[in-house]
Amino acid sequence: MIQENLQNIKATLPKNVTLVAVSKTKPVEDLQEAYNAGQRIFGENRIQEMAEKYELLPKDIKWHMIGHLQSNKVKYMAHFVDLIHGVDKFSTLKEINKQAKKHDRVIHCLLQAKIAEEDSKFGLSFDEIENILASEKLKDLVNIKIVGLMGMATFTDDKQQLHKEFSSLKNLFDKLKTDNQNLKTLSMGMSGDYQIAIENGSTMIRVGSSIFGKRNYN
Ligand SMILES: *Cc1c(COP(=O)(O)O)cnc(C)c1O
């Protein structure tokens, strides 16, 4: 099933769109099955769960942290994480930089923008993102590199609303790219909305339930 789901999704993706298989809550057997089908990028939203899976699975997997970050846990993933999607504070960047330095690494990060109308979603305002990217303090953080932006749309069937939210982030991304050559990745789109995200310029989608099936949070 997992293999088939992966193949079906990949068959529809444009070449420039990267698929992150979101495996949070799923057992390592399921990840191994996706791995055997060729998947190499996995997304998790809890640092400890990701670190446990990292220990058990092949080392050529690229691990993406897609969840909201607690600074005090960054140290548990600093030695292996490939990309951190959900950075929404400058102080978190400082902590990632500090931990990355200990391992002599440069950790790639995305700044999370708030595009949804729901209050529950995390993220920086567009102004805050511009300020961080322009700030002098950022230049001191040589062990991190901001390589793009991430956003989560409102949980809705209203396609117009989704188009509006994704295109607003795409516009910001295009505007910032002119001064920031490092910005290459626009992470937006999940199982329910990734087609619309791609229509609006997404280069990286984070898909969980359409690959692994529904999650069970008990
Ligand atoms: C869980 C999660 C996803 C995947 O959601 P699905 O609807 O299962 O595809 C994508 N992005 C983030 C940030 C998530 O937490």
Side-chain angles (χ1 to χ4, degrees), residues 32 35 53-63:
Q32 184 69 53
Y35 180 91
K53 288 173 173 173
Y54 163 76
E55 289 299 332
L56 295 168
L57 286 161
K59 291 297 173 284
D60 61 339
I61 288 176
K62 292 182 170 171
W63 294 97

Side-chain angles (χ1 to χ4, degrees), residues 22 24 66 150 152 190-191 206-209 215:
V22 176
K24 61 192 187 197
I66 63 169
M150 181 271 217
M152 282 174 93
M190 320 183 4
S191 291
R206 310 174 309 269
V207 178
S209 38
R215 282 178 296 275

Side-chain angles (χ1 to χ4, degrees), residues 26-43:
K26 297 294 174 181
V28 287
E29 292 74 22
D30 287 8
L31 284 76
Q32 184 69 53
E33 192 174 334
Y35 180 91
N36 294 346
Q39 183 64 26
R40 290 294 179 271
I41 305 177
F42 291 88

Side-chain angles (χ1 to χ4, degrees), residues 89-99 141 144:
K89 276 197 221 83
F90 190 80
S91 60
T92 308
L93 285 174
K94 273 172 49 182
E95 176 64 16
I96 297 168
N97 185 73
K98 180 177 150 193
Q99 299 300 334
L141 307 184
I144 57 148

Side-chain angles (χ1 to χ4, degrees), residues 9 19-20 22 24 121 152-163 166 188-200 205-211 213 215:
I9 293 167
L19 172 63
V20 179
V22 176
K24 61 192 187 197
K121 301 262 161 90
M152 282 174 93
T154 302
F155 188 71
T156 176
D157 289 332
D158 181 345
K159 293 196 168 158
Q160 253 184 325
Q161 180 68 24
L162 294 169
H163 274 289
F166 287 138
M188 50 185 202
M190 320 183 4
S191 291
D193 58 20
Y194 72 84
Q195 282 101 343
I196 295 176
I198 290 170
E199 283 173 44
N200 286 287
I205 59 172
R206 310 174 309 269
V207 178
S209 38
S210 293
I211 298 171
R215 282 178 296 275

Side-chain angles (χ1 to χ4, degrees), residues 129-130 133 149 172-180 183:
I129 288 178
E130 293 197 47
L133 287 171
L149 305 178
L172 176 70
F173 181 66
D174 285 343
K175 179 179 154 198
L176 296 176
K177 252 187 355 184
T178 55
D179 288 329
N180 297 269
L183 297 184

